[in-house]
Amino acid sequence: GEEFDYGDRARVVESTGDVVLRPYAVTDQEVQCTNDDFRPRATADSVLIRHPRIRAIAYRFRRSKVHALSTTEIESEIDKIYDAKIKADMQADDAAVPRRDLPDAVVDFYLQSGMEGLRSAELKLLGLLQHLADRAVDSRIPLTPKVELFSRLMWYCPLPKALPRLVLDRVLKAKTMIDRHIVRPMDSHRGAKQRRDTLQREAFLHFTEGYECCIASLVRSGRHGNVTVFSSLASRSSIKLGPTSGKRSEVQWHCFLSLLYDKKREGVARK
């Protein structure tokens, strides 16, 4: 047969199941094939990352019907999962054993919560993740910040958004410190009106205490980290400023003044 010597001017491609050697040199321009044709890119679709444990569970139950949790349910579950993970990490540190990954900790949490066997716990985990998958398909309803952070810590998100375990450790450390400063309303028994007013108040965290807890949980965050923490907290803070309370710039300014006042008061106390 005829011998071809294309050297590096040809590529092996697969077309309809057949492996074909296609040249793209100038002498073979009738082929209408360029080097870029051999490297197609799907730029519209983001690369997704899945934790190995999640991939294994999803494949095992690929034909099972999974009930997706609602936003309210999943946000309530996240708080419980974080609390269980904090306790599990403390036990692992005391026993000098490696800490469990978050997907494994979620399964352990459901097992300890009374789930009947490993299968039920893993299906519960899939139901939690199904909510994230549904939101990824329907972008009209975005994830809440709390759920989005959880998905990034779970490695169930686009690849660039995945967060390493070190970030999870910092988040849990900050949560442990913040929980000590959250003010929760207590039920009152001094009359229906006062009891109703008490129940209407929500738990809150003072801005300065939240800032200090977040900074303390970070290691060598530097100026950029401090500014990021301040901006994130200030953007979600709520301060009663009368008719101007809707202006975000004024909220940030009052947060800054509150932080300065707290620092000044702390300096006077030390003296």
Side-chain angles (χ1 to χ4, degrees):
E2 184 180 359
E3 295 183 359
F4 296 92
D5 184 17
Y6 291 110
D8 60 351
R9 297 171 298 170
R11 296 290 187 272
V12 175
V13 298
E14 183 177 349
S15 176
T16 65
D18 297 328
V19 177
V20 183
L21 180 65
R22 298 186 63 182
Y24 63 93
V26 175
T27 56
D28 302 294
Q29 58 181 345
E30 70 275 4
V31 179
Q32 297 296 317
C33 181
T34 65
N35 194 29
D36 292 336
D37 294 334
F38 299 100
R39 296 194 300 268
R41 300 177 182 177
T43 56
D45 299 329
S46 58
V47 179
L48 303 179
I49 184 172
R50 299 289 185 264
H51 190 278
R53 179 71 184 275
I54 294 177
R55 291 203 307 266
I57 295 175
Y59 179 79
R60 191 180 310 126
F61 298 104
R62 62 189 183 278
R63 293 186 177 89
S64 301
K65 185 177 180 180
V66 178
H67 171 67
L69 275 66
S70 64
T71 302
T72 303
E73 292 173 333
I74 195 173
E75 290 197 348
S76 175
E77 291 290 287
I78 288 175
D79 288 329
K80 298 176 184 177
I81 290 170
Y82 284 158
D83 292 337
K85 184 69 168 63
I86 292 172
K87 295 179 181 178
D89 288 348
M90 295 177 58
Q91 295 174 355
D93 294 342
D94 294 340
V97 297
R99 296 181 176 182
R100 302 269 282 173
D101 289 340
L102 187 55
D104 298 322
V106 174
V107 175
D108 294 342
F109 163 72
Y110 284 131
L111 285 173
Q112 297 172 3
S113 301
M115 287 287 175
E116 298 180 356
L118 181 62
R119 174 185 173 85
S120 299
E122 291 179 340
L123 282 174
K124 185 76 172 181
L125 170 61
L126 289 182
L128 188 148
L129 298 177
Q130 186 62 43
H131 175 89
L132 306 180
D134 293 343
R135 288 295 178 269
V137 174
D138 187 3
S139 58
R140 295 173 301 176
I141 307 177
L143 295 172
T144 62
K146 184 177 183 179
V147 178
E148 182 180 5
L149 175 61
F150 182 75
S151 68
R152 298 177 66 181
L153 295 173
M154 283 282 288
W155 291 9
Y156 198 83
C157 60
L159 180 59
K161 294 186 176 182
L163 298 174
R165 183 187 294 180
L166 177 62
V167 177
L168 173 61
D169 295 338
R170 301 305 176 196
V171 169
L172 296 181
K173 181 178 179 181
K175 184 179 186 303
T176 302
M177 301 176 65
I178 287 174
D179 285 344
R180 301 170 186 170
H181 299 280
I182 291 181
V183 178
R184 294 182 173 86
M186 299 179 61
D187 293 339
S188 174
H189 301 284
R190 299 180 181 178
K193 182 179 184 300
Q194 183 175 356
R195 183 163 56 251
R196 182 174 61 254
D197 295 341
T198 302
L199 293 177
Q200 287 178 352
R201 296 199 304 267
E202 298 181 354
F204 68 92
L205 173 71
H206 196 271
F207 173 83
T208 56
E209 293 174 341
Y211 178 83
E212 293 296 337
C213 291
C214 292
I215 294 299
S217 64
L218 298 175
V219 179
R220 297 186 298 273
S221 60
R223 178 178 177 276
H224 178 71
N226 296 349
V227 173
T228 301
V229 171
F230 177 87
S231 301
S232 300
L233 291 175
S235 64
R236 303 188 183 283
S237 296
S238 177
I239 301 178
K240 293 183 179 180
L241 301 176
T244 62
S245 60
K247 296 183 179 180
R248 179 51 51 187
S249 60
E250 293 197 11
V251 174
Q252 294 177 350
W253 173 242
H254 279 74
C255 288
F256 180 70
L257 293 179
S258 177
L259 186 60
L260 287 181
Y261 174 76
D262 188 71
K263 290 289 186 180
K264 179 67 175 179
R265 185 176 56 181
E266 181 181 353
V268 173
R270 288 181 178 179
K271 293 180 181 180

